[in-house]
């Protein structure tokens, strides 16, 4: 409601009068900035990345000469995946906390001074936080093992599937041999092998190995979500169950293709191939909009860990204003205060209080404001 309206008179009279004015004053609500439905910067970046993926497919497959037309569905979904992931990533990094920590992370990650002071800091962060993900081990050994099998299964499948889909890697049977194959990368011959050898078996069954790893990890998490009551009450269908079911579906249908070739002499292979492609395409299209997006965000945590370690060695820890105990880096507390001020949250003064003291203050306020009213 416009506060400039006269105190007397029928409601809406001032509004009708302002509409008749040649330079009528609009209400304050009309002057409020509206959030754009589409982020132009993110759209441009996403379009460029999608175009680069298309160019990479054309260049890596030698002008599509090595591109398998049967894989056009996978390739098309990958282009949309690149667009969606880039769009959401650019939108994400424009938020004040993500932008601030992404800058600090890259600055610490690429800092020559940090490398000279602690040359093993960056490799350790890559191995511990990104590869082994030891922070999950604190939540349980079984959970960590399941996450590792799921993580490395997906990584292995990604490293194999995308180059094959783009036509960057291909295999041809060697003439005048029964089980001999020659491998090509971007049209360049890289070697020959026997399909009946151990190496040959691994080459043609690496996706089966990845599928088994994914099923083991995703199956454990799915079992836990149905068994653990604490998890079951807070889980959601789209955010928790659908990603696990999608991974298991992709893996099972992929294994069924191998089963059809080895045990059924190729029967039902066409149907299974279409079913597998549909599950893969839908999963790829789901990645930018669901829980899988945290896989794209996770590498940024490596720079954050390096930045925190460098700040701790340089400035020392921040101490709680209430109890004096160290709880975070001073740089992190300053950044948190600045971010809360930018977002208008109004709690920046609590950033320099340790979690324990915050819980104590919250409990005392509850006893004073809520419980005190029932005495």
């Amino acid at each position: 409601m416009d506060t400039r309206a006269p105190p007397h008179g029928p409601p809406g009279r001032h509004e009708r009068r302002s509409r008749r004015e040649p330079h009528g004053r609009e209400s304050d609500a009309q002057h409020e900035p509206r959030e754009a439905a589409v982020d132009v910067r993110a759209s441009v970046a996403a379009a460029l990345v999608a175009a680069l993926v298309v160019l990479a497919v054309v260049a890596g497959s030698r002008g599509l000469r090595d591109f398998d037309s049967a894989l056009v569905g996978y390739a098309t979904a990958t282009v949309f995946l690149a667009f969606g992931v880039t769009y959401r990533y650019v939108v994400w990094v424009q938020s004040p906390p993500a932008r601030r920590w992404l800058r600090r992370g890259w600055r610490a990650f690429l800092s020559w001074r940090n490398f000279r002071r602690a040359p093993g800091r960056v490799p350790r962060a890559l191995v511990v936080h990104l590869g082994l993900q030891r922070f999950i081990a604190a939540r349980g050994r079984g959970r960590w093992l399941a996450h590792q099998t799921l993580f490395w299964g997906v990584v292995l499948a990604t490293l194999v599937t995308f180059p094959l889909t783009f036509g960057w890697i291909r295999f041809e049977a060697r003439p005048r041999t029964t089980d001999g194959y020659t491998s090509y990368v971007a049209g360049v011959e890289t070697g020959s092998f026997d399909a009946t050898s151990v190496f040959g078996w691994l080459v043609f069954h690496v996706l089966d190995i990845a599928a088994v790893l994914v099923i083991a990890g995703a199956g454990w998490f799915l079992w836990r979500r149905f068994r653990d009551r604490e998890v079951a009450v807070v889980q959601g269908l789209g955010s928790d169950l659908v990603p696990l079911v999608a991974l298991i579906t992709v893996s099972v249908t992929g294994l069924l293709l191998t089963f059809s070739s080895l045990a059924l002499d190729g029967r039902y292979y066409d149907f299974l191939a279409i079913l597998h492609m549909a599950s893969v395409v839908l999963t790829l299209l789901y990645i930018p909009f669901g829980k899988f997006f945290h896989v794209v965000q996770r590498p940024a945590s490596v720079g954050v860990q390096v930045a925190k370690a460098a700040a701790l060695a340089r400035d020392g820890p921040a101490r709680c204003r209430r109890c004096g105990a160290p709880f975070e880096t001073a740089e992190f507390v300053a950044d948190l205060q600045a971010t809360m001020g930018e977002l208008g949250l109004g709690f920046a003064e609590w950033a320099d209080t340790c979690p324990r003291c915050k819980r104590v203050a919250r409990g005392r306020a509850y006893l004073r404001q809520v419980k005190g009213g029932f005495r």
Side-chain angles (χ1 to χ4, degrees):
M1 183 177 66
D2 196 332
T3 57
R4 296 171 296 181
H8 304 288
R13 186 179 67 182
H14 177 73
E15 180 182 358
R16 290 194 298 270
R17 185 184 65 184
S18 65
R19 291 177 181 173
R20 292 194 298 267
E21 293 175 359
H23 301 287
R25 295 171 297 177
E26 298 178 353
S27 64
D28 294 337
Q30 292 175 322
H31 288 288
E32 294 180 357
R34 297 181 179 179
E35 184 178 355
V38 177
D39 192 296
V40 177
R41 183 181 303 177
S43 300
V44 173
L48 290 176
V49 173
L52 289 176
V53 172
V54 174
L55 292 176
V57 172
V58 175
S61 61
R62 299 188 304 161
L64 301 181
R65 283 179 292 179
D66 297 335
F67 183 79
D68 189 352
S69 59
L71 304 179
V72 65
Y74 299 100
T76 304
T78 304
V79 175
F80 281 97
L81 168 68
F83 183 93
V85 166
T86 305
Y87 182 92
R88 185 174 176 184
Y89 196 88
V90 173
V91 171
W92 172 61
V93 299
Q94 291 183 63
S95 63
R99 180 175 64 251
R100 177 173 285 109
W101 273 104
L102 196 67
R103 288 176 178 174
R104 290 199 182 277
W106 277 111
R107 190 180 299 118
F109 191 83
L110 301 176
S111 173
W112 176 247
R113 179 182 300 177
N114 291 339
F115 178 77
R116 286 187 303 172
R117 291 180 177 178
R121 183 176 293 159
V122 171
R124 187 183 305 111
L126 289 172
V127 173
V128 174
H129 295 283
L130 188 59
L132 297 180
Q133 301 167 353
R134 294 297 299 174
F135 60 93
I136 300 179
R139 308 173 189 175
R141 184 180 298 273
R143 187 173 182 176
W144 176 74
L145 290 174
H147 202 281
Q148 280 289 285
T149 57
L150 179 60
F151 171 76
W152 288 111
V154 172
V155 169
L156 184 61
T158 301
L159 293 177
V160 175
T161 301
F162 286 151
L164 287 175
T165 300
F166 295 164
W168 297 350
I169 300 176
R170 64 185 176 90
F171 303 97
E172 289 186 1
R174 290 207 313 264
R176 297 181 298 276
T177 62
T178 304
D179 301 312
Y181 284 86
T182 303
S183 60
Y184 295 86
V185 177
V188 180
E189 181 178 344
T190 56
S192 301
F193 60 92
D194 193 335
T196 59
S197 64
V198 175
F199 178 78
W201 187 91
L202 291 175
V203 168
F204 287 111
H205 292 277
V206 62
L207 290 178
D208 297 330
I209 297 173
V212 172
L213 292 175
V214 170
I215 292 174
W220 189 91
F221 284 114
L222 194 63
W223 169 79
R224 178 175 175 269
R225 294 193 178 280
F226 281 109
R227 181 178 179 273
D228 194 332
R229 287 187 176 183
E230 294 182 2
V231 178
V233 296
V234 296
Q235 68 183 0
L237 177 62
S239 60
D240 297 302
L241 297 179
V242 169
L244 296 175
V245 173
L247 289 174
I248 293 175
T249 302
V250 170
S251 303
V252 170
T253 53
L255 289 176
L256 288 177
L257 290 174
T258 302
F259 179 76
S260 173
S261 300
L262 298 179
L264 302 179
D265 296 327
R267 290 193 296 271
Y268 313 113
Y269 190 91
D270 293 340
F271 169 75
L272 292 174
I274 295 176
L275 184 63
H276 179 68
M277 182 175 66
S279 63
V280 172
V281 168
L282 291 176
T283 301
L284 292 177
L285 296 179
Y286 172 80
I287 288 176
F289 311 102
K291 193 173 184 178
F292 288 143
F293 185 71
H294 82 277
V295 178
V296 183
Q297 296 172 308
R298 174 56 57 186
S301 65
V302 177
V304 172
Q305 295 299 327
V306 175
K308 282 189 174 183
L312 185 62
R314 182 180 64 251
D315 304 324
R319 295 189 175 274
C320 176
R321 65 173 180 174
R322 181 178 180 274
C323 65
F327 68 99
E328 256 296 350
T329 64
E331 185 180 63
F332 178 84
V333 173
D335 286 339
L336 182 58
Q337 290 175 333
T339 299
M340 296 179 78
E342 291 178 8
L343 297 178
L345 298 179
F347 297 99
E349 66 273 10
W350 288 97
D352 56 354
T353 306
C354 70
R356 179 184 178 277
C357 290
K358 289 178 182 177
R359 291 193 295 268
V360 171
R362 190 183 304 115
R364 289 181 174 177
Y366 178 80
L367 290 174
R368 183 175 60 255
Q369 301 295 336
V370 180
K371 287 294 186 179
F374 293 100
R375 294 177 181 177

